[in-house]
């Protein structure tokens, strides 16, 4: 494997995280603002147990995955057209969605955890960013065909093989023709490092797996590599990674 993806840009200054008290105060304003709408959909099978687990993790002080956007996303987001309609899948506490909005994109994001979405909404309101946040899981989200110019999926590896098939099908369906899917995840070698991720082989990515899931994709980037991650306490240390940028053809093939 390569020792790194490629030269990374200098880290941007960290976003300011509201303290827990001010987060609760601002959450009400964020939820009532049309630019930071929180919505909920009917939970699917297994929703409650997973939501409880993620709520517990996100309820801890601070930000589980840090305050700065994902490095792969920062590097590859230059591929997005100005003012793109972007969906951020399983966005957590908002670090990636808020950063994308700061770049001028129209961002929609969802996460399974109401705790995470409340924190994200308060943070976006503090920064004056019009992100549309929703509480939803993979099987609850409406994957409206051709709604987005780009879909971002960073470490969305809670999905078992059956859910992963539905997730990738949904992300591809909701992309506009010519749109981009930006994907980062852990590979099986991550089981040796255990510096983040699900710790389950069947949840991890390989190049062959991703190609099989998206047979129509035009691959602008598809690479397994290793790098040091510093994303809060959730992703910290040497990591075995997969980076992918897939383009949906201009018309169905």
């Amino acid at each position: 494997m390569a020792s790194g993806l490629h030269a990374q840009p200098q880290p941007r200054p960290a976003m300011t995280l509201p303290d827990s008290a001010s987060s609760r105060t601002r959450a009400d304003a964020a939820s009532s603002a049309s630019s930071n709408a929180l919505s909920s959909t009917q939970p699917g099978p297994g929703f409650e147990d997973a939501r409880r687990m993620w709520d517990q993790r996100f309820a801890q002080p601070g930000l589980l995955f840090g305050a700065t956007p994902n490095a792969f996303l920062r590097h590859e987001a230059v591929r997005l057209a100005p003012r793109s309609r972007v969906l951020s899948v399983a966005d957590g506490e908002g670090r990636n969605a808020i950063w994308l909005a700061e770049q001028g994109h129209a961002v929609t994001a969802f996460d399974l955890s109401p705790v995470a979405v409340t924190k994200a909404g308060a943070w976006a309101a503090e920064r004056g960013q019009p992100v549309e946040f929703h509480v939803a899981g993979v099987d609850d989200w409406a994957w409206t065909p051709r709604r987005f110019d780009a879909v971002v999926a960073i470490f969305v590896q809670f999905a078992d093989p059956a859910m992963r098939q539905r997730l990738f099908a949904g992300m591809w369906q909701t992309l506009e023709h010519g749109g981009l899917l930006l994907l980062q995840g852990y590979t099986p070698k991550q089981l040796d490092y255990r510096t983040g991720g699900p710790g389950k082989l069947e949840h991890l990515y390989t190049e062959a797996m991703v190609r099989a899931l998206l047979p129509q994709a035009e691959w602008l980037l598809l690479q397994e590599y290793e790098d040091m991650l510093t994303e809060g306490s959730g992703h910290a240390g040497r990591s075995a990674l997969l980076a992918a940028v897939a383009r949906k053809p201009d018309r169905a093939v």
Side-chain angles (χ1 to χ4, degrees):
M1 290 183 181
S3 60
L5 178 59
H6 29 57
Q8 296 288 347
Q10 293 298 311
R12 67 194 287 278
M15 298 177 185
T16 301
L17 171 65
D19 60 34
S20 57
S22 61
S23 292
R24 287 191 295 270
T25 301
R26 293 187 181 105
D28 292 338
S31 63
S32 62
S34 60
S35 62
N36 290 287
L38 292 95
S39 71
S40 182
T41 57
Q42 280 297 111
F47 183 99
E48 292 298 335
D49 288 345
R51 182 174 66 178
R52 188 177 302 110
M53 182 273 289
W54 284 109
D55 276 350
Q56 290 173 352
R57 295 191 71 186
F58 286 125
Q60 301 303 310
L63 292 169
L64 179 61
F65 299 110
T68 56
N70 173 262
F72 158 78
L73 176 62
R74 289 201 313 268
H75 195 279
E76 297 301 329
V78 297
R79 298 178 186 269
L80 303 184
R83 296 179 295 281
S84 287
R85 301 165 299 163
V86 181
L87 174 66
S88 185
V89 177
D91 190 70
E93 295 155 308
R95 65 188 178 115
N96 293 323
I98 294 170
W99 180 80
L100 285 163
E102 289 176 336
Q103 310 315 301
H105 301 297
V107 184
T108 301
F110 72 85
D111 196 272
L112 186 67
S113 166
V115 171
V117 172
T118 296
K119 291 170 74 173
W123 192 5
E126 180 188 69
R127 299 188 69 84
Q129 294 304 320
V131 180
E132 183 182 325
F133 289 106
H134 300 265
V135 176
V138 168
D139 290 327
D140 313 302
W141 183 251
W143 300 100
T144 305
R146 301 176 60 183
R147 180 180 173 187
F148 295 101
D149 303 308
V151 175
V152 172
I154 305 297
F155 296 115
V156 185
Q157 294 190 278
F158 51 79
D160 61 22
M163 179 182 283
R164 183 169 60 231
Q165 187 80 35
R166 300 192 299 273
L167 168 64
F168 275 67
M171 292 191 298
W172 199 246
Q173 174 175 285
T174 206
L175 265 181
E176 179 61 272
H177 291 305
L180 298 179
L181 171 63
L182 278 63
L183 175 77
Q184 185 172 57
Y186 289 113
T187 69
K189 189 172 175 57
Q190 180 64 12
L191 296 177
D192 295 335
Y193 295 129
R194 297 190 178 277
T195 52
K200 296 181 178 181
L201 178 62
E202 63 269 24
H203 288 233
L204 303 176
Y205 295 159
T206 66
E207 289 186 25
M209 171 194 295
V210 173
R211 285 186 186 277
L213 286 165
L214 298 174
Q216 297 178 333
E218 298 173 2
W219 293 103
L220 307 183
L221 172 67
L222 183 55
Q223 178 183 0
E224 295 184 26
Y225 66 106
E226 295 185 7
D227 204 356
M228 295 293 294
L229 293 185
T230 53
E231 298 185 336
S233 61
H235 299 150
R238 189 156 192 83
S239 303
L241 305 167
L242 179 141
V245 180
R247 181 179 181 274
K248 189 173 183 177
D250 290 327
R251 60 179 183 274
V253 296

